Amino acid sequence: MVGIDPALKPRLRLRTPAEYAGWVLSILVGVGILVSVLTNPNFRWDVVGKYFFAESILRGLMLTIFLTFASMALGTLLGLFLAVMRASHVKPVSIAAGLYITLFRGTPVLVQLIFWFNISALYPNLSIGIPFTNISTAVDTNAIMGPITAALVGLTLNQAAYMAEIIRGGFSAVGKGQIEAADSLGMSASMKMRKVIIPQAMPSIIPATGNQFIGMFKETSLVSVLGVAELLQSAQLIYARTYETIPLLIVASLWYLVMTLLLSYPQSKLEQKYSRSTSRLPRKAKKVVLTAPEGIAR
């Protein structure tokens, strides 16, 4: 039997008096803040409990969840397409993708949402048809680009730019030798992307995508400026009538916090599974028994 490798032994760290003092100070400050929040009558916790499960609040929450999932799904697909374009050796294609990413990452998402909501001021009518023929159909932009559609388009296009950079970073993490091996096997560009690059890039892409998903859930609050009755707008409509601003904002904040915590659990599991960071040392080393052939002393 071979002894335990010293490198596998768990390291012991002695706690210093400063660390204990930090814990005591943190607990005292936390308890003080909690007591202040719970005992301050201006927070109106009775009103918070009254509206927490209100029908309009829950409808706004469902719309927020829909916008989050829809914009993330569409943005990820478009981001993958942009990342492939960005990695293309055809210069016009790569430059076009780079300009898109620069434009949508370089301007505030709130400005983009308002722009798409007012796109009919630039293009009142769009003509959809077959090029070089007289077959076309006029589309009223103002009728199509409603508040929810503008919110979905704005969030999707903005998210696609960030997802393209995340996916491109995952592509860059694939070793050059893997790509050269695929080339030596005679793989086409599409097969190389499907069989080699994307599977090996996923460990870098998935954890970052989880963070983007959680960020998108909170980012949907910006569509309230378009009049979309999502979670924040639903709370605003209530306190505009009852003048109970702080309690309704607490209701919206608590729902954002609850949903963020629910989304953080699977996101943390994905990070543990796909993260490429150095693995932790095992807490307890296994005993290794070496057996020798017959006739040889152990």
XYZ file of all heavy atoms in Angstrom, residues 17-77:
472
model
N -7.782 36.414 14.665
C -8.720 37.262 15.426
C -9.408 38.300 14.543
O -10.570 38.648 14.785
C -7.816 37.915 16.481
C -6.671 36.958 16.642
C -6.447 36.369 15.301
N -8.727 38.789 13.518
C -9.349 39.778 12.623
C -10.534 39.174 11.889
O -11.548 39.842 11.655
C -8.307 40.301 11.632
N -10.424 37.881 11.547
C -11.538 37.235 10.847
C -12.748 37.086 11.773
O -13.888 37.319 11.364
C -11.096 35.875 10.325
C -12.143 35.177 9.476
C -11.614 33.919 8.835
O -10.404 33.635 8.977
O -12.422 33.207 8.191
N -12.503 36.700 13.019
C -13.604 36.597 13.978
C -14.244 37.967 14.212
O -15.471 38.083 14.288
C -13.105 36.015 15.303
C -12.826 34.540 15.244
C -11.513 34.067 15.286
C -13.858 33.613 15.135
C -11.238 32.700 15.225
C -13.584 32.245 15.075
C -12.283 31.801 15.121
O -12.026 30.466 15.055
N -13.411 38.996 14.304
C -13.945 40.347 14.497
C -14.783 40.774 13.292
O -15.826 41.423 13.431
C -12.799 41.342 14.732
N -14.329 40.397 12.099
C -15.104 40.717 10.902
C -16.463 40.039 10.888
O -17.463 40.634 10.500
N -16.499 38.767 11.337
C -17.766 38.058 11.415
C -18.717 38.735 12.400
O -19.910 38.926 12.107
C -17.528 36.611 11.833
C -17.261 35.685 10.701
C -16.068 35.141 10.332
C -18.211 35.197 9.755
N -16.198 34.344 9.230
C -17.517 34.357 8.851
C -19.575 35.380 9.584
C -18.154 33.703 7.794
C -20.215 34.737 8.528
C -19.510 33.911 7.651
N -18.212 39.080 13.567
C -19.060 39.720 14.585
C -19.592 41.055 14.073
O -20.788 41.371 14.212
C -18.262 39.909 15.888
C -19.068 40.744 16.894
C -17.904 38.560 16.495
N -18.722 41.852 13.449
C -19.152 43.152 12.938
C -20.197 42.996 11.836
O -21.197 43.722 11.798
C -17.940 43.925 12.421
C -18.214 45.329 11.865
C -18.796 46.220 12.959
C -16.934 45.932 11.301
N -19.985 42.035 10.956
C -20.929 41.814 9.861
C -22.292 41.372 10.386
O -23.337 41.829 9.900
C -20.374 40.763 8.894
O -19.157 41.178 8.332
N -22.299 40.501 11.384
C -23.567 40.039 11.950
C -24.306 41.184 12.626
O -25.532 41.340 12.464
C -23.312 38.882 12.935
C -22.825 37.645 12.166
C -24.576 38.552 13.723
C -22.392 36.506 13.055
N -23.579 42.006 13.369
C -24.224 43.135 14.050
C -24.828 44.116 13.052
O -25.961 44.585 13.223
C -23.213 43.843 14.952
C -22.737 43.068 16.189
C -21.677 43.855 16.941
C -23.915 42.744 17.101
N -24.076 44.433 11.995
C -24.594 45.354 10.977
C -25.797 44.746 10.266
O -26.811 45.418 10.029
C -23.481 45.706 9.963
C -24.056 46.495 8.787
C -22.388 46.514 10.641
N -25.717 43.453 9.929
C -26.830 42.800 9.247
C -28.083 42.763 10.098
O -29.188 43.034 9.609
N -27.938 42.433 11.377
C -29.089 42.394 12.273
C -29.682 43.791 12.446
O -30.909 43.973 12.453
C -28.686 41.797 13.636
C -29.812 41.968 14.657
C -28.336 40.326 13.490
N -28.825 44.804 12.536
C -29.321 46.174 12.673
C -30.130 46.608 11.461
O -31.202 47.219 11.601
N -29.632 46.298 10.271
C -30.368 46.665 9.061
C -31.686 45.909 8.975
O -32.730 46.474 8.628
C -29.499 46.391 7.814
C -28.277 47.317 7.810
C -30.310 46.572 6.536
C -27.301 47.035 6.679
N -31.661 44.610 9.309
C -32.878 43.803 9.241
C -33.933 44.311 10.211
O -35.121 44.424 9.848
C -32.528 42.338 9.547
C -33.690 41.335 9.472
C -34.254 41.291 8.060
C -33.224 39.952 9.901
N -33.527 44.636 11.437
C -34.484 45.158 12.424
C -35.058 46.490 11.957
O -36.260 46.747 12.075
C -33.793 45.293 13.798
C -34.694 46.045 14.773
C -33.443 43.916 14.357
N -34.216 47.336 11.374
C -34.690 48.626 10.898
C -35.705 48.473 9.777
O -36.723 49.171 9.744
C -33.494 49.461 10.417
O -33.925 50.670 9.821
N -35.436 47.543 8.864
C -36.352 47.345 7.733
C -37.679 46.754 8.197
O -38.758 47.160 7.727
C -35.683 46.436 6.677
C -36.689 46.000 5.619
C -34.517 47.157 6.015
N -37.630 45.799 9.129
C -38.851 45.136 9.562
C -39.713 45.995 10.486
O -40.935 45.825 10.521
C -38.506 43.816 10.261
C -37.864 42.737 9.382
C -37.531 41.501 10.204
C -38.778 42.372 8.213
N -39.090 46.881 11.227
C -39.849 47.688 12.202
C -40.229 49.063 11.686
O -41.023 49.751 12.331
C -39.030 47.853 13.493
O -37.765 48.473 13.189
C -38.785 46.492 14.142
N -39.698 49.473 10.545
C -40.037 50.788 9.996
C -41.432 50.733 9.380
O -41.662 50.029 8.388
C -39.011 51.192 8.938
C -39.166 52.644 8.510
O -40.228 53.249 8.678
N -38.116 53.209 7.949
N -42.404 51.482 9.919
C -43.781 51.407 9.391
C -43.912 51.981 7.986
O -44.905 51.704 7.302
C -44.585 52.233 10.403
C -43.591 53.173 11.008
C -42.296 52.421 11.049
N -42.944 52.769 7.543
C -43.043 53.374 6.218
C -42.873 52.354 5.084
O -43.216 52.652 3.934
C -41.992 54.474 6.066
C -42.238 55.635 7.011
O -43.385 55.998 7.273
N -41.169 56.208 7.546
N -42.323 51.185 5.403
C -42.204 50.159 4.370
C -43.557 49.540 4.021
O -43.704 48.971 2.943
C -41.227 49.064 4.825
C -39.785 49.435 4.667
C -39.067 49.974 5.718
C -39.135 49.239 3.454
C -37.731 50.316 5.569
C -37.794 49.573 3.301
C -37.099 50.126 4.363
N -44.524 49.616 4.933
C -45.888 49.125 4.685
C -45.884 47.658 4.253
O -46.329 47.291 3.165
C -46.573 49.975 3.624
C -46.617 51.467 3.914
C -47.636 51.783 5.005
N -48.964 51.343 4.614
C -49.774 52.055 3.809
N -49.367 53.220 3.309
N -50.987 51.605 3.520
N -45.379 46.805 5.114
C -45.299 45.391 4.753
C -46.667 44.754 4.579
O -46.806 43.741 3.867
C -44.493 44.629 5.805
C -43.040 45.012 5.805
C -42.382 45.756 6.726
C -42.080 44.680 4.792
N -41.055 45.916 6.371
C -40.847 45.261 5.181
C -42.122 43.956 3.615
C -39.685 45.135 4.434
C -40.969 43.820 2.852
C -39.772 44.409 3.259
N -47.694 45.304 5.214
C -49.047 44.786 5.005
C -49.507 45.004 3.573
O -50.165 44.146 2.970
C -50.014 45.446 5.994
C -49.984 46.976 5.891
O -48.920 47.526 5.524
O -51.013 47.603 6.158
N -49.130 46.147 2.999
C -49.477 46.429 1.604
C -48.677 45.519 0.670
O -49.178 45.053 -0.359
C -49.217 47.921 1.278
C -49.532 48.217 -0.183
C -50.038 48.810 2.189
N -47.409 45.266 1.033
C -46.584 44.354 0.232
C -47.232 42.973 0.175
O -47.340 42.362 -0.899
C -45.164 44.266 0.820
C -44.354 43.190 0.095
C -44.459 45.612 0.715
N -47.675 42.462 1.331
C -48.336 41.161 1.352
C -49.648 41.168 0.595
O -50.030 40.159 -0.007
N -50.336 42.283 0.590
C -51.624 42.384 -0.099
C -51.467 42.252 -1.607
O -52.286 41.612 -2.281
C -52.288 43.712 0.262
C -53.578 43.984 -0.485
C -54.131 45.353 -0.120
C -55.376 45.677 -0.931
N -55.890 47.048 -0.605
N -50.439 42.880 -2.167
C -50.282 42.919 -3.626
C -49.265 41.904 -4.161
O -49.087 41.831 -5.375
C -49.833 44.317 -4.060
C -50.925 45.357 -3.952
C -50.898 46.296 -2.934
C -51.966 45.403 -4.871
C -51.891 47.255 -2.825
C -52.955 46.356 -4.776
C -52.925 47.277 -3.746
O -53.903 48.232 -3.641
N -48.621 41.148 -3.282
C -47.564 40.260 -3.754
C -48.105 39.211 -4.728
O -47.449 38.872 -5.723
C -46.882 39.571 -2.560
C -45.611 38.867 -2.917
C -44.453 39.582 -3.169
C -45.562 37.479 -3.008
C -43.266 38.935 -3.509
C -44.386 36.826 -3.338
C -43.242 37.555 -3.600
N -49.309 38.697 -4.451
C -49.925 37.704 -5.339
C -51.129 38.282 -6.076
O -52.034 37.531 -6.465
C -50.342 36.464 -4.544
C -49.181 35.677 -3.994
C -48.860 35.747 -2.650
C -48.415 34.879 -4.834
C -47.802 35.011 -2.139
C -47.345 34.150 -4.328
C -47.040 34.218 -2.983
N -51.133 39.598 -6.265
C -52.224 40.224 -7.013
C -52.244 39.715 -8.449
O -51.207 39.396 -9.029
C -52.079 41.741 -6.981
N -53.439 39.649 -9.033
C -53.577 39.089 -10.379
C -52.781 39.874 -11.411
O -52.113 39.286 -12.273
C -55.058 39.061 -10.770
C -55.318 38.421 -12.120
C -56.792 38.393 -12.475
O -57.614 38.782 -11.613
O -57.120 37.991 -13.607
N -52.816 41.199 -11.337
C -52.082 42.004 -12.314
C -50.575 41.832 -12.165
O -49.831 41.822 -13.154
C -52.462 43.481 -12.150
O -52.164 43.937 -10.835
N -50.096 41.664 -10.930
C -48.671 41.438 -10.698
C -48.243 40.095 -11.286
O -47.195 39.986 -11.942
C -48.347 41.499 -9.195
C -48.574 42.914 -8.640
C -46.905 41.062 -8.939
C -47.620 43.950 -9.165
N -49.049 39.069 -11.091
C -48.707 37.750 -11.622
C -48.766 37.737 -13.154
O -47.949 37.070 -13.798
C -49.651 36.698 -11.046
C -49.543 36.456 -9.529
C -50.533 35.397 -9.082
C -48.124 36.060 -9.145
N -49.707 38.472 -13.740
C -49.746 38.569 -15.207
C -48.496 39.267 -15.724
O -47.905 38.860 -16.735
C -50.993 39.331 -15.659
C -52.275 38.528 -15.620
C -53.327 39.151 -16.534
N -53.554 40.546 -16.205
C -54.496 40.978 -15.376
N -55.308 40.111 -14.782
N -54.642 42.268 -15.127
N -48.080 40.313 -15.036
C -46.847 41.000 -15.424
C -45.636 40.108 -15.282
O -44.717 40.134 -16.112
N -45.628 39.269 -14.245
C -44.519 38.333 -14.046
C -44.468 37.316 -15.182
O -43.382 36.990 -15.689
C -44.674 37.628 -12.699
C -43.628 36.558 -12.362
C -42.243 37.167 -12.259
C -44.001 35.842 -11.063
N -45.616 36.805 -15.595
C -45.653 35.845 -16.699
C -45.148 36.473 -17.996
O -44.422 35.840 -18.770
C -47.077 35.321 -16.886
C -47.601 34.454 -15.753
S -46.618 32.941 -15.514
C -45.716 33.389 -14.025
N -45.509 37.727 -18.239
C -45.034 38.411 -19.441
C -43.524 38.639 -19.368
O -42.816 38.513 -20.382
C -45.770 39.741 -19.615
C -45.416 40.557 -20.875
C -45.603 39.726 -22.135
C -46.250 41.825 -20.935
N -43.027 38.947 -18.189
C -41.575 39.108 -18.010
C -40.843 37.810 -18.306
O -39.803 37.800 -18.978
C -41.274 39.569 -16.574
O -41.837 40.871 -16.367
C -39.781 39.640 -16.320
N -41.377 36.700 -17.807
C -40.758 35.393 -18.065
C -40.796 35.077 -19.558
O -39.817 34.569 -20.126
C -41.468 34.304 -17.243
C -41.227 34.550 -15.742
C -40.981 32.915 -17.639
C -41.993 33.605 -14.834
N -41.921 35.379 -20.212
C -42.019 35.126 -21.656
C -40.983 35.930 -22.428
O -40.292 35.402 -23.310
C -43.429 35.472 -22.146
C -43.519 35.593 -23.643
C -43.505 34.454 -24.445
C -43.602 36.839 -24.248
C -43.581 34.572 -25.832
C -43.670 36.958 -25.629
C -43.659 35.815 -26.425
N -40.864 37.217 -22.130
C -39.887 38.058 -22.825
C -38.463 37.563 -22.580
O -37.621 37.599 -23.487
C -40.023 39.512 -22.366
C -41.274 40.268 -22.820
C -41.326 41.641 -22.159
C -41.300 40.408 -24.335
N -38.197 37.096 -21.373
C -36.853 36.600 -21.053
C -36.512 35.369 -21.879
O -35.463 35.311 -22.536
C -36.750 36.268 -19.561
O -37.041 37.448 -18.792
C -35.368 35.772 -19.205
N -37.382 34.375 -21.855
C -37.100 33.125 -22.569
C -37.090 33.338 -24.081
O -36.219 32.801 -24.782
C -38.132 32.066 -22.190
C -37.840 31.361 -20.899
C -38.258 31.894 -19.693
C -37.132 30.172 -20.883
C -37.988 31.253 -18.494
C -36.857 29.517 -19.687
C -37.277 30.063 -18.495
N -38.043 34.117 -24.592
C -38.124 34.315 -26.036
C -36.922 35.090 -26.559
O -36.313 34.715 -27.566
C -39.431 35.045 -26.391
N -36.571 36.175 -25.886
C -35.445 36.984 -26.352
C -34.121 36.242 -26.209
O -33.232 36.378 -27.057
C -35.394 38.310 -25.588
O -35.280 38.096 -24.194
N -33.974 35.422 -25.159
C -32.741 34.653 -25.006
C -32.630 33.575 -26.073
O -31.554 33.355 -26.638
C -32.690 34.022 -23.620
C -32.149 34.920 -22.530
S -30.457 35.487 -22.827
C -29.571 33.952 -22.944
N -33.738 32.890 -26.363
C -33.700 31.834 -27.377
C -33.383 32.411 -28.749
O -32.478 31.934 -29.454
C -35.036 31.089 -27.401
N -34.107 33.456 -29.139
C -33.876 34.070 -30.452
C -32.507 34.745 -30.498
O -31.803 34.678 -31.513
C -34.980 35.079 -30.754
C -36.401 34.491 -30.891
C -37.421 35.611 -31.041
C -36.474 33.527 -32.062
N -32.112 35.408 -29.408
C -30.818 36.078 -29.374
C -29.660 35.103 -29.446
O -28.631 35.395 -30.061
N -29.811 33.923 -28.833
C -28.747 32.921 -28.896
C -28.590 32.376 -30.311
O -27.464 32.201 -30.793
C -29.047 31.780 -27.918
O -29.152 32.315 -26.584
C -27.952 30.731 -27.946
N -29.704 32.104 -30.985
C -29.634 31.616 -32.366
C -29.000 32.654 -33.283
O -28.115 32.335 -34.090
C -31.039 31.255 -32.860
C -31.699 30.037 -32.210
C -33.115 29.865 -32.727
C -30.876 28.785 -32.463
